[in-house]
Short mmCIF file of all heavy atoms in Angstrom, two decimals:
data_model
loop_
_atom_site.label_atom_id
_atom_site.label_comp_id
_atom_site.label_asym_id
_atom_site.label_seq_id
_atom_site.Cartn_x
_atom_site.Cartn_y
_atom_site.Cartn_z
N GLY A 1 48.29 -4.10 -47.23
CA GLY A 1 47.23 -4.74 -48.00
C GLY A 1 45.86 -4.10 -47.79
O GLY A 1 44.93 -4.41 -48.52
N TYR A 2 45.74 -3.22 -46.81
CA TYR A 2 44.48 -2.52 -46.57
C TYR A 2 44.38 -1.35 -47.55
O TYR A 2 45.39 -0.82 -48.00
CB TYR A 2 44.41 -2.01 -45.13
CG TYR A 2 43.79 -2.99 -44.16
CD1 TYR A 2 44.16 -4.33 -44.16
CD2 TYR A 2 42.86 -2.58 -43.23
CE1 TYR A 2 43.61 -5.23 -43.27
CE2 TYR A 2 42.30 -3.46 -42.32
CZ TYR A 2 42.68 -4.79 -42.35
OH TYR A 2 42.12 -5.68 -41.47
N PRO A 3 43.14 -0.92 -47.89
CA PRO A 3 43.00 0.22 -48.80
C PRO A 3 43.49 1.52 -48.17
O PRO A 3 43.61 1.61 -46.94
CB PRO A 3 41.50 0.27 -49.09
CG PRO A 3 40.86 -0.45 -47.96
CD PRO A 3 41.85 -1.45 -47.47
N ASP A 4 43.73 2.51 -49.00
CA ASP A 4 44.18 3.82 -48.51
C ASP A 4 43.08 4.56 -47.77
O ASP A 4 43.35 5.50 -47.03
CB ASP A 4 44.68 4.68 -49.67
CG ASP A 4 45.98 4.15 -50.24
OD1 ASP A 4 46.75 3.51 -49.49
OD2 ASP A 4 46.22 4.36 -51.44
N GLY A 5 41.86 4.18 -47.98
CA GLY A 5 40.73 4.82 -47.31
C GLY A 5 39.48 3.98 -47.47
O GLY A 5 39.46 2.99 -48.19
N PHE A 6 38.44 4.40 -46.75
CA PHE A 6 37.18 3.66 -46.76
C PHE A 6 36.03 4.61 -47.10
O PHE A 6 36.17 5.82 -46.99
CB PHE A 6 36.92 3.06 -45.37
CG PHE A 6 38.00 2.12 -44.90
CD1 PHE A 6 38.90 2.52 -43.93
CD2 PHE A 6 38.10 0.86 -45.43
CE1 PHE A 6 39.90 1.67 -43.50
CE2 PHE A 6 39.10 -0.02 -45.00
CZ PHE A 6 40.00 0.39 -44.03
N ASP A 7 34.89 4.03 -47.47
CA ASP A 7 33.69 4.83 -47.65
C ASP A 7 33.17 5.30 -46.29
O ASP A 7 32.42 6.26 -46.20
CB ASP A 7 32.61 4.04 -48.38
CG ASP A 7 33.00 3.80 -49.84
OD1 ASP A 7 33.67 4.65 -50.43
OD2 ASP A 7 32.63 2.73 -50.38
N GLY A 8 33.55 4.61 -45.25
CA GLY A 8 33.18 4.96 -43.88
C GLY A 8 33.79 3.98 -42.92
O GLY A 8 34.34 2.96 -43.33
N TRP A 9 33.71 4.29 -41.64
CA TRP A 9 34.23 3.40 -40.62
C TRP A 9 33.58 3.74 -39.29
O TRP A 9 33.04 4.82 -39.10
CB TRP A 9 35.75 3.48 -40.52
CG TRP A 9 36.28 4.87 -40.32
CD1 TRP A 9 36.63 5.76 -41.30
CD2 TRP A 9 36.48 5.55 -39.09
NE1 TRP A 9 37.06 6.93 -40.76
CE2 TRP A 9 36.98 6.84 -39.39
CE3 TRP A 9 36.31 5.22 -37.76
CZ2 TRP A 9 37.28 7.78 -38.42
CZ3 TRP A 9 36.62 6.17 -36.79
CH2 TRP A 9 37.10 7.41 -37.13
N GLY A 10 33.60 2.79 -38.40
CA GLY A 10 33.04 3.01 -37.07
C GLY A 10 32.96 1.69 -36.32
O GLY A 10 33.40 0.65 -36.80
N CYS A 11 32.39 1.77 -35.12
CA CYS A 11 32.25 0.59 -34.27
C CYS A 11 30.98 -0.18 -34.62
O CYS A 11 29.91 0.41 -34.76
CB CYS A 11 32.22 1.00 -32.80
SG CYS A 11 33.82 1.57 -32.21
N ILE A 12 31.15 -1.47 -34.75
CA ILE A 12 29.99 -2.32 -35.06
C ILE A 12 29.13 -2.45 -33.81
O ILE A 12 29.61 -2.80 -32.74
CB ILE A 12 30.45 -3.71 -35.54
CG1 ILE A 12 31.22 -3.58 -36.86
CG2 ILE A 12 29.27 -4.66 -35.68
CD1 ILE A 12 31.81 -4.89 -37.36
N ASP A 13 27.85 -2.13 -33.97
CA ASP A 13 26.88 -2.29 -32.89
C ASP A 13 26.15 -3.63 -33.00
O ASP A 13 25.82 -4.25 -32.00
CB ASP A 13 25.84 -1.16 -32.92
CG ASP A 13 26.46 0.20 -32.67
OD1 ASP A 13 27.33 0.31 -31.79
OD2 ASP A 13 26.08 1.17 -33.37
N ARG A 14 25.91 -4.06 -34.26
CA ARG A 14 25.20 -5.32 -34.51
C ARG A 14 25.46 -5.72 -35.95
O ARG A 14 25.58 -4.88 -36.82
CB ARG A 14 23.70 -5.11 -34.28
CG ARG A 14 22.86 -6.34 -34.45
CD ARG A 14 21.41 -6.12 -34.01
NE ARG A 14 20.80 -4.92 -34.51
CZ ARG A 14 20.14 -4.81 -35.68
NH1 ARG A 14 20.05 -5.86 -36.45
NH2 ARG A 14 19.59 -3.68 -36.04
N ILE A 15 25.53 -7.02 -36.19
CA ILE A 15 25.71 -7.51 -37.55
C ILE A 15 24.88 -8.77 -37.74
O ILE A 15 24.83 -9.63 -36.86
CB ILE A 15 27.21 -7.75 -37.89
CG1 ILE A 15 27.39 -8.09 -39.36
CG2 ILE A 15 27.83 -8.77 -36.97
CD1 ILE A 15 28.82 -8.02 -39.85
N THR A 16 24.18 -8.84 -38.87
CA THR A 16 23.40 -10.02 -39.25
C THR A 16 23.85 -10.44 -40.64
O THR A 16 24.80 -9.90 -41.19
CB THR A 16 21.89 -9.72 -39.23
OG1 THR A 16 21.60 -8.75 -40.24
CG2 THR A 16 21.44 -9.20 -37.87
N ASP A 17 23.12 -11.37 -41.24
CA ASP A 17 23.48 -11.83 -42.59
C ASP A 17 23.20 -10.79 -43.66
O ASP A 17 23.82 -10.83 -44.73
CB ASP A 17 22.73 -13.12 -42.93
CG ASP A 17 23.24 -14.30 -42.13
OD1 ASP A 17 24.41 -14.26 -41.68
OD2 ASP A 17 22.48 -15.26 -41.94
N ASP A 18 22.26 -9.87 -43.41
CA ASP A 18 21.91 -8.91 -44.46
C ASP A 18 22.09 -7.44 -44.09
O ASP A 18 21.87 -6.57 -44.92
CB ASP A 18 20.48 -9.14 -44.93
CG ASP A 18 19.46 -9.06 -43.79
OD1 ASP A 18 19.87 -9.01 -42.63
OD2 ASP A 18 18.26 -9.04 -44.10
N GLU A 19 22.51 -7.16 -42.85
CA GLU A 19 22.75 -5.77 -42.48
C GLU A 19 23.79 -5.66 -41.36
O GLU A 19 24.04 -6.63 -40.65
CB GLU A 19 21.46 -5.06 -42.05
CG GLU A 19 21.00 -5.43 -40.67
CD GLU A 19 19.89 -4.54 -40.12
OE1 GLU A 19 19.58 -3.50 -40.71
OE2 GLU A 19 19.33 -4.92 -39.10
N VAL A 20 24.37 -4.48 -41.26
CA VAL A 20 25.29 -4.18 -40.17
C VAL A 20 24.89 -2.82 -39.62
O VAL A 20 24.49 -1.93 -40.38
CB VAL A 20 26.76 -4.22 -40.63
CG1 VAL A 20 27.06 -3.17 -41.68
CG2 VAL A 20 27.71 -4.06 -39.46
N VAL A 21 24.98 -2.67 -38.31
CA VAL A 21 24.74 -1.39 -37.67
C VAL A 21 26.09 -0.89 -37.17
O VAL A 21 26.72 -1.54 -36.33
CB VAL A 21 23.72 -1.50 -36.51
CG1 VAL A 21 23.52 -0.15 -35.84
CG2 VAL A 21 22.40 -2.05 -37.02
N ILE A 22 26.52 0.23 -37.71
CA ILE A 22 27.80 0.83 -37.34
C ILE A 22 27.52 2.23 -36.81
O ILE A 22 26.94 3.05 -37.52
CB ILE A 22 28.77 0.88 -38.53
CG1 ILE A 22 29.11 -0.55 -38.99
CG2 ILE A 22 30.04 1.64 -38.17
CD1 ILE A 22 30.01 -0.64 -40.19
N ASP A 23 27.92 2.47 -35.58
CA ASP A 23 27.69 3.76 -34.92
C ASP A 23 26.23 4.19 -35.05
O ASP A 23 25.91 5.31 -35.46
CB ASP A 23 28.62 4.84 -35.48
CG ASP A 23 30.06 4.62 -35.08
OD1 ASP A 23 30.30 3.92 -34.07
OD2 ASP A 23 30.96 5.13 -35.78
N ASP A 24 25.32 3.27 -34.75
CA ASP A 24 23.87 3.49 -34.74
C ASP A 24 23.26 3.74 -36.11
O ASP A 24 22.14 4.23 -36.22
CB ASP A 24 23.50 4.64 -33.80
CG ASP A 24 23.84 4.35 -32.35
OD1 ASP A 24 23.73 3.18 -31.95
OD2 ASP A 24 24.22 5.29 -31.63
N VAL A 25 23.97 3.42 -37.19
CA VAL A 25 23.45 3.57 -38.55
C VAL A 25 23.38 2.20 -39.19
O VAL A 25 24.39 1.50 -39.30
CB VAL A 25 24.34 4.52 -39.39
CG1 VAL A 25 23.81 4.60 -40.81
CG2 VAL A 25 24.42 5.90 -38.76
N SER A 26 22.16 1.81 -39.60
CA SER A 26 21.95 0.52 -40.25
C SER A 26 22.27 0.62 -41.73
O SER A 26 21.83 1.55 -42.41
CB SER A 26 20.50 0.09 -40.06
OG SER A 26 20.25 -1.11 -40.73
N MET A 27 23.08 -0.34 -42.22
CA MET A 27 23.45 -0.38 -43.63
C MET A 27 23.30 -1.80 -44.16
O MET A 27 23.60 -2.76 -43.46
CB MET A 27 24.90 0.10 -43.81
CG MET A 27 25.07 1.57 -43.51
SD MET A 27 26.78 2.08 -43.51
CE MET A 27 27.19 1.75 -41.80
N ALA A 28 22.85 -1.88 -45.39
CA ALA A 28 22.65 -3.19 -46.01
C ALA A 28 23.99 -3.79 -46.42
O ALA A 28 24.91 -3.08 -46.82
CB ALA A 28 21.75 -3.04 -47.24
N LEU A 29 24.07 -5.11 -46.30
CA LEU A 29 25.24 -5.85 -46.78
C LEU A 29 24.93 -6.42 -48.16
O LEU A 29 23.81 -6.83 -48.43
CB LEU A 29 25.58 -6.99 -45.82
CG LEU A 29 26.02 -6.60 -44.41
CD1 LEU A 29 26.22 -7.84 -43.56
CD2 LEU A 29 27.30 -5.78 -44.45
N ALA A 30 25.92 -6.43 -49.02
CA ALA A 30 25.77 -7.03 -50.34
C ALA A 30 25.58 -8.54 -50.20
O ALA A 30 25.89 -9.12 -49.16
CB ALA A 30 26.99 -6.72 -51.20
N ARG A 31 25.07 -9.17 -51.24
CA ARG A 31 24.87 -10.63 -51.20
C ARG A 31 26.18 -11.36 -51.01
O ARG A 31 26.26 -12.35 -50.31
CB ARG A 31 24.18 -11.10 -52.48
CG ARG A 31 22.73 -10.72 -52.54
CD ARG A 31 22.12 -11.12 -53.86
NE ARG A 31 22.49 -12.47 -54.27
CZ ARG A 31 21.63 -13.39 -54.63
NH1 ARG A 31 20.36 -13.12 -54.65
NH2 ARG A 31 22.05 -14.57 -54.99
N ILE A 32 27.22 -10.86 -51.66
CA ILE A 32 28.56 -11.42 -51.50
C ILE A 32 29.41 -10.33 -50.86
O ILE A 32 29.56 -9.25 -51.42
CB ILE A 32 29.17 -11.85 -52.84
CG1 ILE A 32 28.30 -12.93 -53.48
CG2 ILE A 32 30.60 -12.32 -52.67
CD1 ILE A 32 28.70 -13.29 -54.89
N ILE A 33 29.94 -10.62 -49.67
CA ILE A 33 30.71 -9.63 -48.93
C ILE A 33 32.07 -10.20 -48.59
O ILE A 33 32.20 -11.39 -48.28
CB ILE A 33 29.95 -9.15 -47.67
CG1 ILE A 33 30.75 -8.08 -46.95
CG2 ILE A 33 29.59 -10.28 -46.77
CD1 ILE A 33 29.97 -7.32 -45.91
#
């Protein structure tokens, strides 16, 4: 049931309601995730 691939992957360093930090890179989360 998992996809064949991802846009990226890594270890979560921190996660909030509007962003996630994965491998020291901050990325915005969509409103509906």
